[in-house]
Amino acid sequence: MKKVLMGIAFILAPAFGMALAKLIIDPLWSNQKVTLEGLITFFIYGLVAGVILFILRLIVRGGSLN
């Protein structure tokens, strides 16, 4: 159960991090309002990044990069 939760957290952490960064940095950088569409887009980008990191983690744990 712990490994499953860690795997889910490993995938969702970049998604929430990218959405939070969009929410905080975008108004400071471009002086524009943050839209829900923009947040969802960055959340999806973060999910893709999380899946890629998860796959790389599985490859490294499997030892196929040795």
Side-chain angles (χ1 to χ4, degrees):
M1 182 69 174
K2 184 179 177 183
K3 286 186 179 185
V4 173
L5 291 176
M6 289 299 292
I8 292 171
F10 202 80
I11 293 172
L12 288 179
F16 283 110
M18 286 185 71
L20 187 62
K22 171 86 172 165
L23 190 63
I24 293 172
I25 294 172
D26 206 36
L28 297 174
W29 190 266
S30 63
N31 207 12
Q32 295 177 355
K33 283 190 167 186
V34 177
T35 62
L36 184 61
E37 181 181 328
L39 279 178
I40 291 172
T41 302
F42 267 73
F43 187 80
I44 292 172
Y45 291 161
L47 280 177
V48 171
V51 168
I52 291 169
L53 286 172
F54 187 74
I55 291 170
L56 288 174
R57 187 179 120 200
L58 290 177
I59 291 172
V60 169
R61 277 194 168 182
S64 60
L65 289 181
N66 290 334

